[in-house]
Amino acid sequence: MDLSTLDFSALLQLRTDVDAEIRRRESEEKAKAAKQVMELIRTHGLDLQELATKSVKAVATATRKPVDAKYRHPDDASLSWTGRGRKPLWVVTWLDAGRSLDELLIK
């Protein structure tokens, strides 16, 4: 299909039709997947409630523990940074002043 041959209104209609077909197929795929899951549950004698509980527990135990600070401001102990992610403003200011990040290392 050569889209360049379609006029604007035809393109808009095509987009509407494509979006509707995508929603329809997504619904079909979800229903098919749910049916397969239920068949597996029945085949293996699993309890859906038990699976859901185990899944929630697995997510809860997968949470990360906080990372210890690696850098601390020498004049203000309340300013610390783990060294991960974006540098805090106080670190950027420190570095812009020509100071070294090594000076902030917690020993």
Side-chain angles (χ1 to χ4, degrees):
M1 171 185 274
D2 186 9
L3 299 178
S4 65
T5 62
L6 298 176
D7 66 0
F8 183 70
S9 62
L11 283 172
L12 290 176
Q13 184 59 49
L14 180 62
R15 180 172 63 181
T16 302
D17 294 345
V18 167
D19 288 342
E21 182 64 17
I22 288 172
R23 284 190 301 275
R24 187 187 69 74
R25 288 192 190 186
E26 181 180 34
S27 178
E28 284 179 1
E29 290 295 318
K30 284 181 179 180
K32 187 170 32 170
K35 183 179 176 183
Q36 289 173 341
V37 168
M38 293 307 292
E39 286 175 10
L40 283 171
I41 288 172
R42 278 192 294 274
T43 301
H44 296 287
L46 300 172
D47 178 27
L48 187 58
Q49 186 65 34
E50 181 183 342
L51 286 175
T53 304
K54 285 181 180 178
S55 152
V56 168
K57 286 180 183 176
V59 170
T61 58
T63 58
R64 297 181 188 181
K65 72 172 194 129
V67 178
D68 293 332
K70 187 174 179 181
Y71 301 99
R72 181 168 284 122
H73 195 287
D75 300 329
D76 186 354
S78 68
L79 298 175
S80 62
W81 178 46
T82 63
R84 295 184 178 182
R86 191 173 179 183
K87 291 180 183 84
L89 185 57
W90 66 268
V91 173
V92 173
T93 304
W94 181 269
L95 296 173
D96 288 346
R99 308 295 297 264
S100 167
L101 193 58
D102 291 336
E103 296 176 69
L104 300 174
L105 274 171
I106 297 174
K107 296 171 176 105

